[in-house]
Amino acid sequence: NHLTRRTRVFGAVSATLAALAMSAGPALADPPAETYPALAGTGSDTTQYVLNGLAGVIPAIGSYDAIDPSTGLPGGAIQTREDGPSFARPNGSSNGIKALTGSVNGAPWQGTVITGQLDFARSSSSPSQPGSDLTFIPFALDAVSYAFSAFGSASVPTYLTIAELADIYTGDTTTYVDLNGVTRNYVPLLPQAGSGTRAFFLSSLGLTEGDVAWITSPTVQENDGSEIDAIGEIVPFSVASWIAQFNGVVPQTILESDVNLGALDDEFGVTPPIDGGVLNPDFPFTRLVFNVVETARLAGISPADVLLQNTFMGSSSSVCQAAATITEYGFATIPNCGDTSTYKSGYVQP
């Protein structure tokens, strides 16, 4: 029975969640006021906290959150150099890469010239532009599933096929039948424009922005469970972010609305996103996450360039050697950490 099977899967996933252990307190956010670490970066919401954690063990890293940590809202200004300008805080992978482009080639970012103000961008999506001006350096593995609030028997299905998810986001499927036989409406939600999670999720479903243009619900901040609080709502969510929130190492947004992650059903059977309390590398929607730098600096000989290379480049880099921090924040380690030969992109103009 399909409904019974879904209940059984939900029980298995719940047991896995219960096995997750609580850990240390939340990570710090932006660098402290009037401190200016040597390597400044912005961008992805998904990797902002693990970069903050890495900054705790690698003092050269100064990572600025995607949203203002003092207000919890998008926007606001940051200053990354003692003698530099204040400029608009980039929110999301695409905006982080655009701001890095402006820092490298002088193109204004949100009306401000920020040449030399950034050294890297956080990205939870792979390159999307031809060219080689920028290098995406992988450092960890994440996954993306769909998230929903648990409303008992009224909850959205606890596992879906990829085709079913695609139909929900194209509007071809608008309802589901809950465990009590009641027909409920799906309410598909998406993260903000420029979100790497949004781009990866749509690509994984074989969809484009045009396919989801019909969705009129307001966007939600990437990986913010506080905005998933109604029956039928469904939204892509980083598995690493969910684990880190549940473990208490980052500010949590998932407990108040009892936000759960769904499993995916494919030709290999039903695969949960979390296995044994950690990210399941066999989950169908896994992705590398990256730190993006100017390619030319990887061959530079200045002290600043050498510091950037030692921090991000190669398996012996400071970031790749910090495996314990990477896994603490819910990500999985990867054998190609620090690879600078594979993932290239042209500038993404502001």
Side-chain angles (χ1 to χ4, degrees):
N1 181 286
H2 198 50
L3 291 177
T4 301
R5 187 173 175 221
R6 289 178 185 239
T7 303
R8 192 162 61 244
V9 170
F10 178 74
V13 172
S14 296
T16 298
L17 304 188
L20 289 168
M22 299 301 285
S23 185
L28 297 175
D30 291 358
E34 299 184 10
T35 64
Y36 305 96
L39 300 175
T42 67
S44 169
D45 180 298
T46 297
T47 64
Q48 69 180 18
Y49 290 118
V50 68
L51 261 295
N52 291 343
L54 289 167
V57 296
I58 307 170
I61 292 178
S63 189
Y64 295 79
D65 284 2
I67 59 175
D68 188 330
S70 64
T71 66
L73 299 172
I78 59 173
Q79 182 179 350
T80 62
R81 310 288 195 220
E82 186 172 9
D83 58 353
S86 294
F87 57 95
R89 179 187 298 272
N91 181 7
S93 299
S94 294
N95 287 326
I97 297 166
K98 289 177 181 178
L100 177 65
T101 294
S103 178
V104 173
N105 70 11
W109 160 251
Q110 299 290 298
T112 304
V113 175
I114 61 168
T115 306
Q117 303 304 300
L118 293 170
D119 302 281
F120 70 95
R122 305 183 302 267
S123 181
S124 60
S125 56
S126 56
S128 60
Q129 299 283 338
S132 59
D133 303 300
L134 304 175
T135 296
F136 286 55
I137 307 177
F139 73 96
L141 185 74
D142 188 19
V144 174
S145 187
Y146 66 93
F148 60 94
S149 286
F151 285 95
S153 59
S155 297
V156 304
T158 57
Y159 72 85
L160 292 166
T161 68
I162 295 172
E164 286 171 334
L165 266 177
D167 285 345
I168 292 167
Y169 275 87
T170 59
D172 292 332
T173 296
T174 59
T175 62
Y176 64 96
V177 178
D178 72 16
L179 293 177
N180 287 330
V182 177
T183 298
R184 305 280 187 178
N185 290 323
Y186 278 117
V187 183
L189 304 173
L190 285 167
Q192 77 280 5
S195 157
T197 296
R198 175 181 176 134
F200 174 80
F201 182 73
L202 293 180
S203 175
S204 298
L205 295 180
L207 304 181
T208 67
E209 285 291 340
D211 294 318
V212 297
W214 68 275
I215 298 175
T216 57
S217 302
T219 59
V220 298
Q221 181 64 34
E222 185 175 353
N223 305 319
D224 185 350
S226 68
E227 299 188 59
I228 312 168
D229 57 5
I231 293 173
E233 289 186 339
I234 182 172
V235 64
F237 208 98
S238 158
V239 175
S241 179
W242 194 99
I243 292 171
Q245 290 188 45
F246 191 89
N247 283 347
V249 297
V250 304
Q252 72 82 17
T253 65
I254 61 174
L255 297 182
E256 183 175 352
S257 298
D258 196 7
V259 174
N260 284 250
L261 297 179
L264 288 183
D265 187 6
D266 60 18
E267 64 268 29
F268 303 108
V270 178
T271 306
I274 300 168
D275 185 16
V278 297
L279 185 147
N280 183 358
D282 294 325
F283 192 68
F285 290 174
T286 57
R287 58 175 175 176
L288 295 173
V289 291
F290 304 87
N291 292 307
V292 186
V293 303
E294 180 189 3
T295 300
R297 295 190 64 183
L298 296 176
I301 59 174
S302 71
D305 289 349
V306 171
L307 177 62
L308 181 134
Q309 295 159 24
N310 290 341
T311 301
F312 297 115
M313 182 179 177
S315 59
S316 62
S317 64
S318 300
V319 165
C320 293
Q321 289 296 304
T325 300
I326 289 170
T327 56
E328 180 183 12
Y329 286 84
F331 295 88
T333 57
I334 53 173
N336 60 333
C337 183
D339 172 29
T340 58
S341 64
T342 305
Y343 305 97
K344 304 288 183 176
S345 169
Y347 292 131
V348 182
Q349 298 295 342

